[in-house]
Amino acid sequence: MLTKNHLFLGLKYLLISLFVGVIIRGFLLIPVPVTGNSMDQTLQQKDMVLMEKFSKIKRFDVIVFQQADGTIYIKRVIGLPGDQIRYEKDQLYINNKKIAEPFLTNNRSHDHQVSPYTTDFQLQELIGKEHLPKNEYFVLGDNRRISKDSRSFGTVASKDILGKARAVYFPLTHIKLIN
């Protein structure tokens, strides 16, 4: 038989659970919808990803950021502050060193066009500087042919980064960690 003590204990557990849920949802793992196809094969349109905003941004992390017009994007970090970046014959060079992009293997294998998957460019041509400024990141979508990214809108300031995309949790058939 339920007593007042049982009801009070149940209510207390419910309130604690709600509080913990709000903290996790609001500060630790924040849901973000994927819109567009610029991150195909890594992320699909209408995927729901969990974002966290407390770890340091590293090269090739998938980040969520907001532009001045309020648009939220999910892209991959290619260049870090101080980096010199260029693409030449579909090859990424950072600080004049060839850098492999294993996360593009699947995309390139599905690409049937003859032209390079990533068009040639130098950072100087895009932003007018040889090196990324302090607190600025260079981002690209994994679906390079259709991605609106740093090649079109410039660098991303660290203050505009909302967090890192860590996992896809919906739809259930797409569940995975994002690396």
Side-chain angles (χ1 to χ4, degrees), residues 6-20:
H6 285 108
L7 289 174
F8 180 69
L9 184 63
L11 182 62
K12 192 163 59 171
Y13 283 145
L14 178 65
L15 290 174
I16 290 170
S17 298
L18 286 172
F19 178 75
V20 169

PDB file of all heavy atoms in Angstrom, residues 6-20:
ATOM      1  N   HIS A   6       6.100   7.057   0.564  1.00  0.00           N
ATOM      2  CA  HIS A   6       6.383   6.506  -0.765  1.00  0.00           C
ATOM      3  C   HIS A   6       6.101   7.537  -1.841  1.00  0.00           C
ATOM      4  O   HIS A   6       6.876   7.686  -2.794  1.00  0.00           O
ATOM      5  CB  HIS A   6       5.549   5.238  -1.019  1.00  0.00           C
ATOM      6  CG  HIS A   6       6.038   4.038  -0.277  1.00  0.00           C
ATOM      7  ND1 HIS A   6       5.362   3.523   0.780  1.00  0.00           N
ATOM      8  CD2 HIS A   6       7.148   3.280  -0.458  1.00  0.00           C
ATOM      9  CE1 HIS A   6       6.023   2.478   1.246  1.00  0.00           C
ATOM     10  NE2 HIS A   6       7.122   2.309   0.514  1.00  0.00           N
ATOM     11  N   LEU A   7       4.996   8.244  -1.730  1.00  0.00           N
ATOM     12  CA  LEU A   7       4.652   9.289  -2.711  1.00  0.00           C
ATOM     13  C   LEU A   7       5.678  10.419  -2.690  1.00  0.00           C
ATOM     14  O   LEU A   7       6.099  10.903  -3.731  1.00  0.00           O
ATOM     15  CB  LEU A   7       3.246   9.836  -2.453  1.00  0.00           C
ATOM     16  CG  LEU A   7       2.096   8.896  -2.786  1.00  0.00           C
ATOM     17  CD1 LEU A   7       0.772   9.499  -2.353  1.00  0.00           C
ATOM     18  CD2 LEU A   7       2.074   8.592  -4.268  1.00  0.00           C
ATOM     19  N   PHE A   8       6.068  10.823  -1.477  1.00  0.00           N
ATOM     20  CA  PHE A   8       7.060  11.885  -1.355  1.00  0.00           C
ATOM     21  C   PHE A   8       8.398  11.447  -1.955  1.00  0.00           C
ATOM     22  O   PHE A   8       9.047  12.211  -2.675  1.00  0.00           O
ATOM     23  CB  PHE A   8       7.234  12.277   0.118  1.00  0.00           C
ATOM     24  CG  PHE A   8       8.238  13.374   0.324  1.00  0.00           C
ATOM     25  CD1 PHE A   8       7.968  14.669  -0.107  1.00  0.00           C
ATOM     26  CD2 PHE A   8       9.460  13.114   0.930  1.00  0.00           C
ATOM     27  CE1 PHE A   8       8.894  15.679   0.068  1.00  0.00           C
ATOM     28  CE2 PHE A   8      10.390  14.117   1.105  1.00  0.00           C
ATOM     29  CZ  PHE A   8      10.107  15.417   0.671  1.00  0.00           C
ATOM     30  N   LEU A   9       8.799  10.203  -1.676  1.00  0.00           N
ATOM     31  CA  LEU A   9      10.047   9.673  -2.225  1.00  0.00           C
ATOM     32  C   LEU A   9       9.981   9.606  -3.753  1.00  0.00           C
ATOM     33  O   LEU A   9      10.928   9.998  -4.445  1.00  0.00           O
ATOM     34  CB  LEU A   9      10.337   8.288  -1.635  1.00  0.00           C
ATOM     35  CG  LEU A   9      11.656   7.644  -2.055  1.00  0.00           C
ATOM     36  CD1 LEU A   9      12.835   8.480  -1.574  1.00  0.00           C
ATOM     37  CD2 LEU A   9      11.748   6.234  -1.492  1.00  0.00           C
ATOM     38  N   GLY A  10       8.881   9.135  -4.310  1.00  0.00           N
ATOM     39  CA  GLY A  10       8.697   9.076  -5.764  1.00  0.00           C
ATOM     40  C   GLY A  10       8.746  10.460  -6.391  1.00  0.00           C
ATOM     41  O   GLY A  10       9.370  10.664  -7.437  1.00  0.00           O
ATOM     42  N   LEU A  11       8.088  11.436  -5.759  1.00  0.00           N
ATOM     43  CA  LEU A  11       8.109  12.815  -6.257  1.00  0.00           C
ATOM     44  C   LEU A  11       9.523  13.387  -6.217  1.00  0.00           C
ATOM     45  O   LEU A  11       9.967  14.059  -7.142  1.00  0.00           O
ATOM     46  CB  LEU A  11       7.147  13.684  -5.434  1.00  0.00           C
ATOM     47  CG  LEU A  11       7.019  15.134  -5.863  1.00  0.00           C
ATOM     48  CD1 LEU A  11       6.478  15.225  -7.296  1.00  0.00           C
ATOM     49  CD2 LEU A  11       6.125  15.893  -4.902  1.00  0.00           C
ATOM     50  N   LYS A  12      10.246  13.081  -5.144  1.00  0.00           N
ATOM     51  CA  LYS A  12      11.624  13.552  -5.010  1.00  0.00           C
ATOM     52  C   LYS A  12      12.506  12.972  -6.126  1.00  0.00           C
ATOM     53  O   LYS A  12      13.272  13.691  -6.761  1.00  0.00           O
ATOM     54  CB  LYS A  12      12.171  13.175  -3.639  1.00  0.00           C
ATOM     55  CG  LYS A  12      13.475  13.849  -3.291  1.00  0.00           C
ATOM     56  CD  LYS A  12      13.844  13.831  -1.814  1.00  0.00           C
ATOM     57  CE  LYS A  12      13.966  12.469  -1.243  1.00  0.00           C
ATOM     58  NZ  LYS A  12      14.545  12.465   0.139  1.00  0.00           N
ATOM     59  N   TYR A  13      12.382  11.669  -6.411  1.00  0.00           N
ATOM     60  CA  TYR A  13      13.150  11.045  -7.495  1.00  0.00           C
ATOM     61  C   TYR A  13      12.779  11.640  -8.853  1.00  0.00           C
ATOM     62  O   TYR A  13      13.648  11.851  -9.701  1.00  0.00           O
ATOM     63  CB  TYR A  13      12.947   9.531  -7.510  1.00  0.00           C
ATOM     64  CG  TYR A  13      13.715   8.798  -6.444  1.00  0.00           C
ATOM     65  CD1 TYR A  13      13.168   7.669  -5.841  1.00  0.00           C
ATOM     66  CD2 TYR A  13      14.974   9.207  -6.032  1.00  0.00           C
ATOM     67  CE1 TYR A  13      13.869   6.977  -4.859  1.00  0.00           C
ATOM     68  CE2 TYR A  13      15.671   8.531  -5.063  1.00  0.00           C
ATOM     69  CZ  TYR A  13      15.120   7.417  -4.473  1.00  0.00           C
ATOM     70  OH  TYR A  13      15.822   6.745  -3.520  1.00  0.00           O
ATOM     71  N   LEU A  14      11.517  11.908  -9.054  1.00  0.00           N
ATOM     72  CA  LEU A  14      11.065  12.509 -10.310  1.00  0.00           C
ATOM     73  C   LEU A  14      11.682  13.894 -10.496  1.00  0.00           C
ATOM     74  O   LEU A  14      12.189  14.212 -11.575  1.00  0.00           O
ATOM     75  CB  LEU A  14       9.534  12.593 -10.347  1.00  0.00           C
ATOM     76  CG  LEU A  14       8.944  13.251 -11.581  1.00  0.00           C
ATOM     77  CD1 LEU A  14       9.238  12.420 -12.827  1.00  0.00           C
ATOM     78  CD2 LEU A  14       7.460  13.475 -11.417  1.00  0.00           C
ATOM     79  N   LEU A  15      11.668  14.717  -9.461  1.00  0.00           N
ATOM     80  CA  LEU A  15      12.246  16.062  -9.552  1.00  0.00           C
ATOM     81  C   LEU A  15      13.755  16.015  -9.785  1.00  0.00           C
ATOM     82  O   LEU A  15      14.290  16.786 -10.586  1.00  0.00           O
ATOM     83  CB  LEU A  15      11.912  16.869  -8.297  1.00  0.00           C
ATOM     84  CG  LEU A  15      10.447  17.277  -8.152  1.00  0.00           C
ATOM     85  CD1 LEU A  15      10.203  17.942  -6.798  1.00  0.00           C
ATOM     86  CD2 LEU A  15      10.025  18.183  -9.286  1.00  0.00           C
ATOM     87  N   ILE A  16      14.432  15.113  -9.106  1.00  0.00           N
ATOM     88  CA  ILE A  16      15.882  14.969  -9.306  1.00  0.00           C
ATOM     89  C   ILE A  16      16.175  14.523 -10.733  1.00  0.00           C
ATOM     90  O   ILE A  16      17.068  15.060 -11.393  1.00  0.00           O
ATOM     91  CB  ILE A  16      16.494  13.993  -8.275  1.00  0.00           C
ATOM     92  CG1 ILE A  16      16.465  14.628  -6.889  1.00  0.00           C
ATOM     93  CG2 ILE A  16      17.910  13.601  -8.659  1.00  0.00           C
ATOM     94  CD1 ILE A  16      16.816  13.672  -5.755  1.00  0.00           C
ATOM     95  N   SER A  17      15.393  13.566 -11.237  1.00  0.00           N
ATOM     96  CA  SER A  17      15.575  13.087 -12.614  1.00  0.00           C
ATOM     97  C   SER A  17      15.345  14.207 -13.622  1.00  0.00           C
ATOM     98  O   SER A  17      16.102  14.354 -14.589  1.00  0.00           O
ATOM     99  CB  SER A  17      14.621  11.928 -12.913  1.00  0.00           C
ATOM    100  OG  SER A  17      14.881  10.844 -12.075  1.00  0.00           O
ATOM    101  N   LEU A  18      14.300  14.980 -13.422  1.00  0.00           N
ATOM    102  CA  LEU A  18      14.030  16.109 -14.323  1.00  0.00           C
ATOM    103  C   LEU A  18      15.165  17.130 -14.285  1.00  0.00           C
ATOM    104  O   LEU A  18      15.599  17.627 -15.321  1.00  0.00           O
ATOM    105  CB  LEU A  18      12.703  16.780 -13.962  1.00  0.00           C
ATOM    106  CG  LEU A  18      11.444  16.026 -14.344  1.00  0.00           C
ATOM    107  CD1 LEU A  18      10.207  16.702 -13.750  1.00  0.00           C
ATOM    108  CD2 LEU A  18      11.314  15.924 -15.845  1.00  0.00           C
ATOM    109  N   PHE A  19      15.672  17.429 -13.101  1.00  0.00           N
ATOM    110  CA  PHE A  19      16.770  18.383 -12.957  1.00  0.00           C
ATOM    111  C   PHE A  19      18.018  17.889 -13.687  1.00  0.00           C
ATOM    112  O   PHE A  19      18.645  18.629 -14.456  1.00  0.00           O
ATOM    113  CB  PHE A  19      17.067  18.619 -11.469  1.00  0.00           C
ATOM    114  CG  PHE A  19      18.218  19.543 -11.238  1.00  0.00           C
ATOM    115  CD1 PHE A  19      18.085  20.904 -11.430  1.00  0.00           C
ATOM    116  CD2 PHE A  19      19.452  19.051 -10.826  1.00  0.00           C
ATOM    117  CE1 PHE A  19      19.148  21.769 -11.234  1.00  0.00           C
ATOM    118  CE2 PHE A  19      20.522  19.899 -10.621  1.00  0.00           C
ATOM    119  CZ  PHE A  19      20.364  21.262 -10.824  1.00  0.00           C
ATOM    120  N   VAL A  20      18.379  16.622 -13.469  1.00  0.00           N
ATOM    121  CA  VAL A  20      19.546  16.045 -14.135  1.00  0.00           C
ATOM    122  C   VAL A  20      19.340  16.043 -15.652  1.00  0.00           C
ATOM    123  O   VAL A  20      20.250  16.381 -16.417  1.00  0.00           O
ATOM    124  CB  VAL A  20      19.844  14.620 -13.604  1.00  0.00           C
ATOM    125  CG1 VAL A  20      20.882  13.910 -14.457  1.00  0.00           C
ATOM    126  CG2 VAL A  20      20.310  14.687 -12.155  1.00  0.00           C
TER     127      VAL A  20
END
